[in-house]
């Protein structure tokens, strides 16, 4: 899906009841989204498929639903209170907050940086004069707060030093090496005093020194605000699993290796939320903590990697838009020996959909220290052997998965008759409705017959049915296409035996969303076919 189509998807989601902007009647609350009647069905189905695959269809997995509010010591033990932070800078001019680990990405999308790159690809060598001119023309429009625009003479004098010693500036390199150095010079008005500064990707202004910003959401428990009552909204569901490790072990007679799965809300005071539901401050996760004997974590890691990849593919994600990305040594959390993300090619670029981490025994060890409780596992074959299991953590974003399925489903196509349509080609297991029942017209006895069929289907099967009488049949088909209903059953005059054609009594037409094939079949066979 091209970036431009994202707007169309957002608009379809709103128009058809998948996802609404939050608190809209009060002017909204930035970056909050509400799942509408169809969105909640889609999301529930994603969760159901996940639970089916990773809990019901495996003997080594059980579920859990722990609290969002937990004893604050949990977050001291997990390290979130001390270090759950991103490095942040503020633009001194436009006051935007910039998450510094996103700076490269923001620069690569920055119009003024593109314009600068163009200058370098147009010319064989770029002189000081060229840069000055660029500053007074494009720069002035696109990056009004860049030092070379506001104070060209001083900035260019610093720059001459740089150009003298610079290696060739590579224009098409992403914001790296020489290009990265160059923009620092263009942004540093008082280089002698402040040293080199990074520019704001939006307006070119100077960024402040990065400071850590804690992402934990604080709230208060009880009636008194203040010391002792401050608690946190959980930033991940994982810790609920660790603190219940012993409970699960004692009640469920689990033997290693085994895992615990949980789906639930998490909260992070994200600095740069955005891209629809991709990054929000309140979101849902689907997480697994998988406990293994120390030494078996590497093979468990490989196993999960494959399972998760296949889960996305089986539900219709095109593998050419998925990739695995191993974290580099610098990116790894100190307790993790290996982390890998599955990234999806979102309309704005690659983004993390899922993370798999090898967490060792870090979490259980921390909880032992902070709680003073023994969380060790006793080897059932040799009770003298007690140890903390190692943990492999497959962690899914639920909202990001839903967004991925929405993007994958969104299709604009031209039909053989030249008409165009928008159709959400969800996997049948994910579509909000399994079936639509459509009486051909608003004639009362047609509606009655269709209602009778609707009741029969919902009573005798688990299919979720829509019943729609509003508008022409063409319009209703178009709506069903846009909400991704795989099949539509039309009840017409033939069904009532009122057609000139003989032998159509008690038959209906069933239309396939993707092939558009229509088939006439007796109601008596319909149920069997649908089941
Ligand atoms: P990012 O680098 O995008 O901030 P992360 O590495 O911090 O993500 P994890 O802590 O690994 O994310 O969380 C597991 C999963 O939860 C992610 O793969 C993602 O799908 C989802 N997730 C994390 N933060 C958000 C958010 N703010 N909004 C929506 N989903 C999120």
């Amino acid at each position: 899906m091209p970036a431009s189509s994202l707007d169309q998807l957002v608009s379809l989601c709103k128009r058809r009841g998948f996802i609404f902007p939050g608190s809209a009647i009060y002017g909204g609350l930035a970056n909050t989204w509400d799942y509408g009647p169809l969105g909640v069905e889609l999301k529930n189905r994603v969760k159901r498929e996940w639970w089916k695959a990773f809990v019901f269809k495996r003997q080594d997995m059980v579920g859990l639903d722990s609290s969002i509010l937990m004893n604050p010591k949990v977050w001291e033990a997990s390290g979130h209170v001390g270090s759950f932070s991103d490095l942040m800078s503020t633009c001194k001019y436009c006051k935007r907050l910039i998450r510094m680990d996103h700076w490269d990405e923001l620069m690569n999308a920055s119009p003024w940086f593109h314009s600068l790159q163009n200058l370098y690809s147009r010319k064989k060598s770029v002189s000081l004069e060229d840069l000055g001119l660029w500053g007074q023309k494009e720069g002035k429009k696109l990056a009004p707060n860049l030092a070379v625009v506001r104070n060209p003479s001083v900035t260019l004098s610093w720059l001459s030093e740089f150009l003298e010693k610079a290696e060739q500036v590579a224009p098409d390199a992403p914001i790296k090496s020489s290009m990265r150095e160059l923009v620092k010079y263009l942004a540093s008005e008082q280089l002698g005093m402040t040293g080199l500064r990074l520019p704001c990707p939006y307006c070119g202004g100077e960024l402040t020194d990065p400071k850590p910003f804690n992402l934990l959401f604080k709230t208060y428990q009880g009636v008194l605000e203040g010391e002792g009552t401050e608690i946190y909204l959980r930033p991940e569901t994982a810790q609920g699993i660790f603190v219940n490790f012993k409970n699960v072990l004692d009640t469920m007679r689990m033997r290693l290796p085994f895992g615990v799965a949980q789906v639930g809300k998490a909260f992070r005071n994200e600095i740069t939320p955005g891209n629809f539901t991709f990054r929000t401050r309140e979101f849902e996760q689907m997480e697994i903590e998988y406990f293994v004997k120390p030494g078996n974590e590497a093979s468990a890691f490989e196993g999960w990697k494959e399972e998760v990849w296949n889960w996305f593919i089986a539900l219709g994600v095109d593998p050419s838009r998925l990739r695995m990305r191993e974290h580099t040594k610098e990116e790894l959390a100190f307790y993790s020996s290996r982390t890998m993300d599955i990234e999806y090619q979102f309309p704005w670029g690659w983004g993390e959909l899922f993370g798999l981490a090898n967490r060792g025994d870090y979490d259980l060890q921390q909880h032992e220290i902070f709680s003073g409780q023994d969380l060790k596992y006793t080897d059932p074959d040799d009770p003298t052997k007690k140890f903390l299991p190692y943990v492999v953590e497959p962690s899914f974003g639920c909202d990001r998965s839903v967004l991925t399925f929405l993007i994958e489903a969104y299709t604009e196509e031209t039909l053989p008759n030249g008409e165009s349509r928008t159709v959400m080609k969800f996997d049948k297991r994910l579509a909000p409705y399994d079936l639509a029942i459509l009486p051909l017209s608003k004639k009362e006895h047609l509606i009655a017959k269709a209602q009778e069929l609707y009741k029969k289907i919902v009573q005798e099967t688990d299919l979720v049915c829509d019943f729609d009488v509003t508008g022409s049949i063409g319009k209703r088909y178009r709506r069903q296409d846009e909400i991704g209903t795989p099949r539509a059953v039309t009840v017409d005059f033939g069904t009532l035996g009122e057609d000139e054609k003989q032998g159509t009594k008690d038959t209906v037409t069933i239309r396939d969303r993707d092939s558009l094939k229509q088939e006439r079949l007796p109601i008596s066979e319909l149920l069997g076919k649908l089941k």
Side-chain angles (χ1 to χ4, degrees), residues 3 8 24 59 168 173 190 220 257 267 282 418 434 453:
Q8 265 130 319
Q59 285 183 5
Q168 212 39 48
Q190 294 175 303
Y220 300 94
F267 302 81
E282 171 183 350
D434 296 302
L453 181 61

Side-chain angles (χ1 to χ4, degrees), residues 86-89 98-104 198 207-208 210:
D86 286 325
L87 285 177
M88 296 282 308
S89 293
I98 312 284
R99 207 175 121 177
M100 291 319 283
D101 62 337
H102 288 172
W103 185 80
D104 284 19
L198 284 177
L207 296 180
T208 59

Side-chain angles (χ1 to χ4, degrees), residues 268 270 278-280 283 285 352-355 395 397 400:
R268 296 180 189 177
E270 296 277 3
F278 178 78
R279 187 180 303 285
T280 49
F283 57 98
Q285 291 185 312
E352 177 179 336
L353 175 59
F354 160 88
S395 175
R400 283 187 195 176

